[in-house]
Amino acid sequence: MNQPDKEKTETIKNTSNDGLLHILGSGSALPMRDNYPTSQILELRNKQFMIDCGEGCQIRLREMGLSTSRLGHIFISHLHGDHCLGLVGLISTLGMMNRTADLYIHSHPDLERLTLPLLNYFCAESPFKIIFVPFNPSKHSIIYEDRSIEVYSIPLIHRVPTAGFLFQEKEKPRHIKREMIDFYNIPIASIHKIKMGENFQTLEGEVIPNSVLTTPSTPPLRYAFCSDTAYNESIIPFVEGVDLLYHEATFAESELLRAKKTMHSTARQAAEIAKKANVKKLIIGHFSARYRNKEILLNEARSVFKNTLLAEDKKTYPFF
Amino acid sequence: MNQPDKEKTETIKNTSNDGLLHILGSGSALPMRDNYPTSQILELRNKQFMIDCGEGCQIRLREMGLSTSRLGHIFISHLHGDHCLGLVGLISTLGMMNRTADLYIHSHPDLERLTLPLLNYFCAESPFKIIFVPFNPSKHSIIYEDRSIEVYSIPLIHRVPTAGFLFQEKEKPRHIKREMIDFYNIPIASIHKIKMGENFQTLEGEVIPNSVLTTPSTPPLRYAFCSDTAYNESIIPFVEGVDLLYHEATFAESELLRAKKTMHSTARQAAEIAKKANVKKLIIGHFSARYRNKEILLNEARSVFKNTLLAEDKKTYPFF
């Protein structure tokens, strides 16, 4: 039997549009013109998720020209006002824009009882359903799953129960080469197994290694969001090697004591986590209002972990 | 007896700094970058009041560099989200700024039960007291009074119970001329009566007319806020002759039917009210998001009432 083309060894790479992080708010408790409270939109391939929902996030969405037609799930890290007070306004606006798809809100259980009276009052005519999905922020567990994505909670250390989030694509089947199917007369019944990594045995008994028949799938995208939190090495196993880590960096090193007291991190500490977890890229955010110029935070982080970027409101960050 | 200086006839005028309106938000239900939801700060001489508290008003305060150290009272016109969803965030921020003075919130009674659970949760450590003062928006009545100011509710026509507000300085005593006190040997006991308008009788029995003894006080400042409302001539007696009227003008005349249906006003209707009430100056606001360029609204209003201005976020409007 003739041999088919030599095995291609190149890896299929994710491209810059496969993972995008849109920053709606990069500030902390005191909103500033250039740093609204925490909120961001994550795009993983064609899916859209919102993380936190600080006051004014709906204004940022509009400023950025971001459509929310693919937004089905909002994840709230913790119940401090600067992470969730924009929720009712956003939902009210989505209703006026005639959204009809259900909207799921994943959060600490208390959010429902705090927010539902307002939603019933201000958004009584909402044309879509709002479904609260409570989770326990103090536990590492899977809190959302669909065909291609899993979201895990990451327990953080803060003044109230707080979770970070790991968004992770599921491992995808390998790509089978069309020409191999023809060459080896592979029956349809075997294709799924080969995509899942099995070898193939021809009618003549020859075993064709999987690596000859398939190319790797694109690597799963992984994004971790960790805010608000004190320096906490116990999160390292959860964020190990992620493509992109957003970690809070509320203070510079000169405010280390204040960071400890308020259970926040310094920029340097954020970078320590990034380095120890061997992540690919770090974005720091949740800046204290005292830093008009954030260069000091960026420099302190970069001295530990070079591939660090500053979060900026209204800016979009590709994973790669 | 020699006659004193001839009676001075000039009127004492208010100056441009005696009454100031700061626009924090001039938009309507859909927040836009340049038109946040309704909120404004009124300054009457050295006093400061907030009217409505739409999402993002605390950001506007900061952008405008406005201190709230003299702010003791917030008046909420009605319980639609675009008029009150910024309240919890604002209160939370005031707490972080270490405010200690009590803050009074005047509104429909429902606001307390909607907001209190959030305040207790997010602002539990607030260093100042928040006092809800309910009023009935469907009734014209005095809802606040101090030594120099009265605030009246103005029933408006909208989809939920809604009130406008009339802020009115109390009539001030006339100024007694120092040289008259000396010239006629006016005893201290008589001074208050003369300031209140009485004549003075000398020991010789001569009656000195009050107009010789005093000069008029500065005219009381009067500001009326009317949003949201359908065209409603019944408010005219309440806003008659005010120095400044803020009236909603959500739509242009081409959307007259939509204005009726949603119980809003057109710019022309706002101007009709201003004209019929003979107000001194009109500011129109609460613009629908469809009007990027508001010239059409301004022109339609000015064709009826010339002294009309467009509300603009972050702009301060002197009364005179």
Side-chain angles (χ1 to χ4, degrees), chain A residues 243-272:
Chain A
D243 300 303
L244 185 62
L245 168 65
Y246 180 98
H247 195 289
E248 75 132 290
T250 309
F251 296 109
E253 210 54 22
S254 58
E255 297 290 336
L256 184 61
L257 281 179
R258 184 180 296 271
K260 271 191 187 158
K261 197 179 148 203
T262 56
M263 299 194 189
H264 284 297
S265 299
T266 65
R268 191 189 169 88
Q269 288 176 330
E272 293 282 357

Side-chain angles (χ1 to χ4, degrees), chain A residues 172-177 180 184 186-187 189-202 206-215:
Chain A
K172 278 176 295 226
R174 295 174 67 86
H175 299 291
I176 192 161
K177 297 177 193 166
M180 294 296 150
Y184 291 111
I186 298 173
S190 301
I191 287 181
H192 179 69
K193 288 181 197 160
I194 295 170
K195 281 185 170 181
M196 300 313 284
E198 286 190 14
N199 299 332
F200 175 67
Q201 189 165 13
T202 61
E206 187 186 1
V207 173
I208 316 295
N210 187 277
S211 61
V212 172
L213 303 172
T214 65
T215 52

Side-chain angles (χ1 to χ4, degrees), chain A residues 279-298:
Chain A
V279 309
K280 301 203 180 99
K281 193 192 275 189
L282 169 67
I283 296 179
I284 54 173
H286 198 270
F287 307 120
S288 160
R290 77 194 62 205
Y291 303 106
R292 296 247 166 146
N293 182 335
K294 278 99 184 161
E295 285 302 307
I296 185 174
L297 301 169
L298 184 61

